[in-house]
Amino acid sequence: MQDLELWTLDELCDHAFDIFEELASENLSAEDYALYQQHYESRGYVDLTPPGEDWVEIMMQELEPELHFEAQIGLSGENGEADRVLARILLSREKHESLCHAQWRSH
């Protein structure tokens, strides 16, 4: 069996941001996109978490916790406000697997 070529977690965060940047203008409301453009340098974030059960249902397959991650991308809250998650992106750490599925903040 061939060894898998894996993204590091930092590389996976960068990969998630690249995907987000490419697709955000088409998938976010104009208000959310403008807010992100205005504040991404100071408040933008990406968190990697294990994929939840909702991803298993959406993808209709089991996901391997050591290979699959959910990247939550958004803006951190100000003055006690909650963080605003703009997108949840399911990714694989395997560099040659094309798995990428996104859920965007509702308009």
Side-chain angles (χ1 to χ4, degrees), residues 5-68:
E5 189 177 350
L6 301 179
W7 300 100
T8 66
L9 294 183
D10 285 342
E11 289 172 332
L12 195 62
C13 286
D14 291 343
H15 183 53
F17 259 132
D18 289 345
I19 292 167
F20 177 84
E21 290 280 334
E22 184 177 325
L23 301 174
S25 65
E26 300 169 15
N27 290 284
L28 291 173
S29 68
E31 177 187 347
D32 280 340
Y33 187 67
L35 190 65
Y36 174 76
Q37 289 293 304
Q38 184 178 4
H39 296 290
Y40 77 93
E41 286 186 13
S42 60
R43 296 175 37 213
Y45 72 87
V46 60
D47 282 335
L48 294 177
T49 64
E53 283 300 313
D54 59 330
W55 284 117
V56 174
E57 292 173 17
I58 291 166
M59 301 305 294
M60 302 205 23
Q61 71 182 46
E62 288 299 315
L63 300 172
E64 298 178 48
E66 57 280 342
L67 282 181
H68 298 105

